Amino acid sequence: MRTTALLCGMALALGASSATAAAADRATQSVESKYAAEAKAMGLSARQAAQLQDRVDAQLADMKIPAEQVKYNEIRTKDGSSSITLPVPGAAADTSCPSEYLCLWDGAYWTGTKHTFWACGYVNLSDLGFNDRLTSYKNNQTTGTVSSFYNWEGSWVYKFGSRAYHTEDSLANTPWNNMIDRVLVC
């Protein structure tokens, strides 16, 4: 009798655990369907949408801080201090940088993956899966605000600064291209 009760309890626990896993799986599928629908509405084919989702998933996996996908091509850190916008296949690059933000790209002349920052403080770019990838930037913060760029060389070494308003540069032909590991936003 005791063995039967124990087995029944185990079966109930397994059933509850399976139900929880199934609910989580349905929620994941629902979110993925939402982003696939957004991508389709933007004119992407199913294949392009799947490839973009794979890149979003890879970016999230490279990140060392809590973040979540908020659009079909956008990730936001849980604290809201920054966002990452992945380029859309076949679309023009998003070269915009909102007022009062610092924006970084991994491509020359504001192309490729874009990182957008608004909160003042040090940002270790490896936490975002972006160390040694900076190739262009726009400092569109409030006038006079300086952002500083650093490289890790056994300690943080200052490389250059950018004074706002609307300072922009492509680092493609400079010694700092694909070198920067840390930014002091503000």
Side-chain angles (χ1 to χ4, degrees), residues 87-100:
V88 176
D94 179 3
T95 62
S96 67
C97 186
S99 180
E100 299 186 10

Side-chain angles (χ1 to χ4, degrees), residues 57-73:
D57 293 341
Q59 181 71 50
L60 281 164
D62 283 346
M63 296 177 71
K64 299 174 188 166
I65 58 175
E68 63 186 339
Q69 184 174 0
V70 294
K71 280 180 50 181
Y72 72 103
N73 70 328

Side-chain angles (χ1 to χ4, degrees), residues 46-159:
R47 181 174 184 212
Q48 289 173 318
Q51 290 172 336
L52 180 57
Q53 187 60 51
D54 287 346
R55 289 187 11 244
V56 168
D57 293 341
Q59 181 71 50
L60 281 164
D62 283 346
M63 296 177 71
K64 299 174 188 166
I65 58 175
E68 63 186 339
Q69 184 174 0
V70 294
K71 280 180 50 181
Y72 72 103
N73 70 328
E74 185 178 338
I75 297 166
R76 187 171 304 136
T77 57
K78 292 276 188 165
D79 67 3
S81 65
S82 66
S83 66
I84 301 167
T85 307
L86 284 85
V88 176
D94 179 3
T95 62
S96 67
C97 186
S99 180
E100 299 186 10
Y101 284 76
L102 173 69
C103 301
L104 312 178
W105 286 265
D106 64 0
Y109 304 105
W110 317 285
T111 61
T113 300
K114 176 173 84 169
H115 290 257
T116 306
F117 304 94
W118 70 269
C120 291
Y122 284 101
V123 177
N124 187 342
L125 297 177
S126 70
D127 289 345
L128 301 169
F130 197 67
N131 60 309
D132 297 330
R133 290 179 48 200
L134 175 63
T135 299
S136 54
Y137 69 90
K138 289 185 180 183
N139 187 349
N140 206 15
Q141 298 175 92
T142 55
T143 302
T145 303
V146 177
S147 287
S148 301
F149 297 79
Y150 299 84
N151 186 51
W152 179 255
E153 298 173 11
S155 63
W156 293 112
V157 177
Y158 173 85
K159 294 299 176 179

